[in-house]
Amino acid sequence: MADKPIVIGVAGGTGSGKTTVTRSICEQFTDKTILMIEQDSYYKDQAHLPYEERLKTNYDHPLAFDNDLLIEHLHGLLNRKNVEKPVYNYKLHTRSDEVIDVEPKDVIILEGILVLEDERLRNLMDIKVFVDTDADLRIIRRLMRDINERGRTIESVIEQYVNVVRPMHLQFVEPTKRYANIIIPEGGENLVAIDLMTTKIRSILEERSLT
Ligand code: CTP
C-alpha cells in the first residue's frame, strides 16, 4: 500500500472525453487500487428550490459546486477514511437522497469541468490533466448524451450550450489548461496518453511504497 494516496485531476470542457480517459486509466488497475470521483457528484444541493428555479441555475459556473464538501471528502480519503459521496440527479437537477459509501484507495482520480479551477483542489493533486477536444466534437457528444441519458430536448441543449455552457467554458474552463502538467488531445481515443499516464501512476505507486 502506498503511504499517501495519489490524486489526479482530469479537467476539460463538456463532452471532451474526461470520463473515457478516466475509465481507460482505471481499467489498467484493479478496483482495489483506483477510485474515480466525479466533481458533478458535488453540485450544490438544491432540494430546497422548486424545480423551475433549479432549471435556471448556471451549472457551468464555479459557484455551482460544493467544493468545500468535495475537499473535506478528499482529505478524508487521503487519511484513509471512508466517505459518503453524494449522488447527483441530472433529470431533477439536484442531489438524490442516496449516498455512496466510498472506500479509500491508493489512487484517486477527480474528474470534472472545473477541477483545476479551485486552487485548493489543485494543491491536493499530484498530476493535473486537461483533456483538450475541439468544440464541434464536444457539442455533438453533449447533444447525444443529454438527449439519451439526461432527459433533455435538442432545443434545450442548444439553448443552454449557446447561452451558458460556451461562455462559461471560455471564461472558466479553458483558462485552467495553463495549470495542467499534461494536455491530452482527443481524450479517450489517445491510447499513447493513457499508456503514459498509467506508467507514471505505477512509478509513483512504487516510489511511495518503498519507504
Ligand atoms: N449540467 C447540466 N444540468 C445539471 C448539472 C450539470 O446540464 N443539472 C451540465 C453542465 O452544464 C456541465 C456538464 O453538466 O457543462 C458537466 O458534465 P460533463 O463535463 O459534460 O460530463 P462528464 O461525463 O463529466 O465529461 P465528459 O463528457 O468529458 O466525459
Side-chain angles (χ1 to χ4, degrees):
M1 188 189 274
D3 56 348
K4 178 180 160 291
I6 303 170
V7 181
I8 300 159
V10 178
T14 181
S16 56
K18 300 179 292 294
T19 311
T20 314
V21 167
T22 306
R23 288 210 181 115
S24 305
I25 296 170
C26 288
E27 280 166 13
Q28 307 303 314
F29 296 87
T30 66
D31 284 352
K32 280 189 181 159
T33 310
I34 201 156
L35 162 72
M36 172 172 169
I37 303 267
E38 307 82 2
Q39 190 185 25
D40 287 12
S41 304
Y42 292 83
Y43 270 118
K44 282 181 182 157
D45 190 17
Q46 300 202 105
H48 58 289
L49 293 177
Y51 176 77
E52 292 306 317
E53 282 303 309
R54 304 203 293 255
L55 284 180
K56 294 184 198 154
T57 302
N58 178 344
Y59 293 103
D60 292 81
H61 193 283
L63 290 176
F65 294 93
D66 187 352
N67 280 351
D68 290 346
L69 182 65
L70 172 57
I71 289 161
E72 189 187 312
H73 284 186
L74 283 174
H75 279 297
L77 292 166
L78 285 168
N79 288 308
R80 304 279 181 186
K81 297 202 171 77
N82 286 36
V83 298
E84 300 205 323
K85 183 173 82 163
V87 175
Y88 191 70
N89 184 323
Y90 293 96
K91 291 187 181 158
L92 298 177
H93 302 276
T94 193
R95 273 184 209 163
S96 70
D97 294 333
E98 315 160 54
V99 288
I100 295 178
D101 181 50
V102 176
E103 285 178 23
K105 306 263 170 86
D106 282 346
V107 184
I108 303 164
I109 306 195
L110 174 64
E111 172 265 317
I113 49 172
L114 288 166
V115 294
L116 295 184
E117 191 273 336
D118 189 320
E119 190 183 0
R120 297 170 302 163
L121 287 175
R122 291 200 302 276
N123 288 340
L124 291 174
M125 295 171 188
D126 298 283
I127 307 176
K128 298 184 273 291
V129 177
F130 190 95
V131 181
D132 198 14
T133 302
D134 291 343
D136 52 357
L137 294 178
R138 294 193 293 101
I139 177 65
I140 291 169
R141 288 183 192 154
R142 167 121 181 189
L143 261 176
M144 305 285 285
R145 183 200 58 202
D146 281 6
I147 293 166
N148 293 330
E149 296 169 26
R150 295 188 181 175
R152 312 287 166 89
T153 61
I154 187 165
E155 292 78 14
S156 77
V157 180
I158 292 171
E159 193 272 336
Q160 185 190 9
Y161 186 82
V162 172
N163 294 316
V164 183
V165 180
R166 186 174 184 278
M168 294 296 105
H169 177 87
L170 296 174
Q171 186 174 350
F172 294 111
V173 183
E174 184 74 20
T176 66
K177 204 195 286 184
R178 76 181 69 176
Y179 300 118
N181 309 115
I182 300 169
I183 296 170
I184 303 187
E186 300 304 339
E189 309 302 318
N190 192 331
L191 298 180
V192 174
I194 307 287
D195 202 30
L196 288 171
M197 287 289 302
T198 307
T199 306
K200 179 67 184 163
I201 296 168
R202 286 198 204 285
S203 95
I204 305 180
L205 278 175
E206 271 171 32
E207 269 168 38
R208 290 193 183 172
S209 346
L210 280 177
T211 47

